[in-house]
Amino acid sequence: MRFLRLGLRKRRVQHDPALQQELLQDVRQRFGTHETTPFGDQAAAITGLLEGADGVMVATEILREFAEGAHASVVVQAAELGLVADRTNYRTLWKSAGKRLRSPLFGQALHPYIQVSAAVTAVGAQARQTVRVTEPEPLLAHMFEVLDLTVAGWQYGRVLVDTHGAELAAGLITATTELRAEMSDPPPLPPPVREQMRSNASVDVLDPAISRFVGQWNPGKQMRESLLA
């Protein structure tokens, strides 16, 4: 009966598919092309567009598309290395591949620090609405995928940790926490998150604007404090 009630409630929400497609195309094409505009400014501009039910639907599609693209990249790379990609736990693959595995977060049409970061912020800020108008379980899975790829790349792939990547990862932790809090029956935390929670390792964070390390961040600690609260 709970699923029936949820279904009825979602059908009462009005959507504008044409507006969603127009907004998605605008986000894809107009942002990420201005190399002189800081990532954070572009992300903030997009976040302002992703308000309300249609904005949340677009944010969800951005995260789905990005996660699917990242997974496709990992599958190809793993096959070239004679390895297998487990979508539920990229850490296992990255431990074996090390720096031979390139980060799949870059080279896609959507930029992780612009469109994806904006979508993460929009979903987290509108978590209650997101749960009402989308299927939150697949969305959570996509967000945890991106978080796994980000953190595992730092730890095993020697991917440089900069302020943009740290902000994306921290935003993913916050947004997934907000979504789970709005769900009556949230799914179990995925294996990579549970494994990271057992770690107290910190990473040095570089500010690319000044080419200097500006501090340390402990992702496992934030996961414990947020997702287990």
Side-chain angles (χ1 to χ4, degrees):
M1 293 299 293
R2 180 176 67 87
F3 295 107
L4 176 61
R5 290 196 298 272
L6 286 173
L8 291 173
R9 182 173 62 183
K10 288 179 181 178
R11 283 196 292 271
R12 285 199 294 267
V13 178
Q14 297 298 313
H15 299 294
D16 186 340
L19 174 62
Q20 291 174 27
Q21 284 302 313
E22 180 181 347
L23 181 55
L24 185 58
Q25 286 301 111
D26 187 31
V27 168
R28 281 176 177 152
Q29 297 173 4
R30 182 158 64 93
F31 295 93
T33 59
H34 308 292
E35 295 182 359
T36 59
T37 304
F39 293 151
D41 291 349
Q42 294 190 65
I46 296 174
T47 301
L49 299 175
L50 302 179
E51 296 183 352
D54 291 308
V56 163
M57 296 293 287
V58 171
T60 300
E61 175 58 22
I62 289 171
L63 291 164
R64 185 203 65 79
E65 182 178 317
F66 188 77
E68 293 290 347
H71 175 64
S73 174
V74 172
V75 168
V76 171
Q77 291 189 64
E80 292 173 348
L81 298 172
L83 301 171
V84 177
D86 178 359
R87 193 167 187 175
T88 66
N89 192 345
Y90 291 114
R91 292 171 67 88
T92 301
L93 169 64
W94 224 313
K95 287 177 184 179
S96 300
K99 64 180 181 180
R100 293 180 297 164
L101 186 67
R102 301 181 307 278
S103 174
L105 303 185
F106 304 95
Q108 297 197 55
L110 298 170
H111 197 288
Y113 303 153
I114 301 176
Q115 290 99 337
V116 176
S117 180
V120 169
T121 300
V123 165
Q126 303 173 91
R128 181 168 297 180
Q129 178 130 353
T130 300
V131 169
R132 289 183 60 225
V133 303
T134 70
E135 294 297 333
E137 289 86 355
L139 174 59
L140 269 177
H142 292 144
M143 295 172 76
F144 278 129
E145 269 190 86
V146 178
L147 179 61
D148 182 16
L149 287 167
T150 302
V151 178
W154 297 341
Q155 295 176 332
Y156 306 111
R158 300 184 184 177
V159 176
L160 184 66
V161 185
D162 63 17
T163 51
H164 305 301
E167 288 169 0
L168 173 61
L172 283 162
I173 296 170
T174 299
T176 51
T177 300
E178 294 295 335
L179 279 180
R180 287 171 56 82
E182 294 296 337
M183 298 171 67
S184 59
D185 186 21
L189 293 171
V193 169
R194 297 199 300 270
E195 181 178 338
Q196 186 64 48
M197 283 180 175
R198 295 193 290 270
S199 171
N200 270 319
S202 296
V203 292
D204 295 317
V205 181
L206 177 78
D207 185 343
I210 59 176
S211 299
R212 183 181 303 168
F213 288 100
V214 292
Q216 291 187 322
W217 180 54
N218 186 327
K221 181 175 183 290
Q222 183 172 343
M223 289 180 192
R224 291 192 301 273
E225 293 176 348
S226 298
L227 292 165
L228 296 181

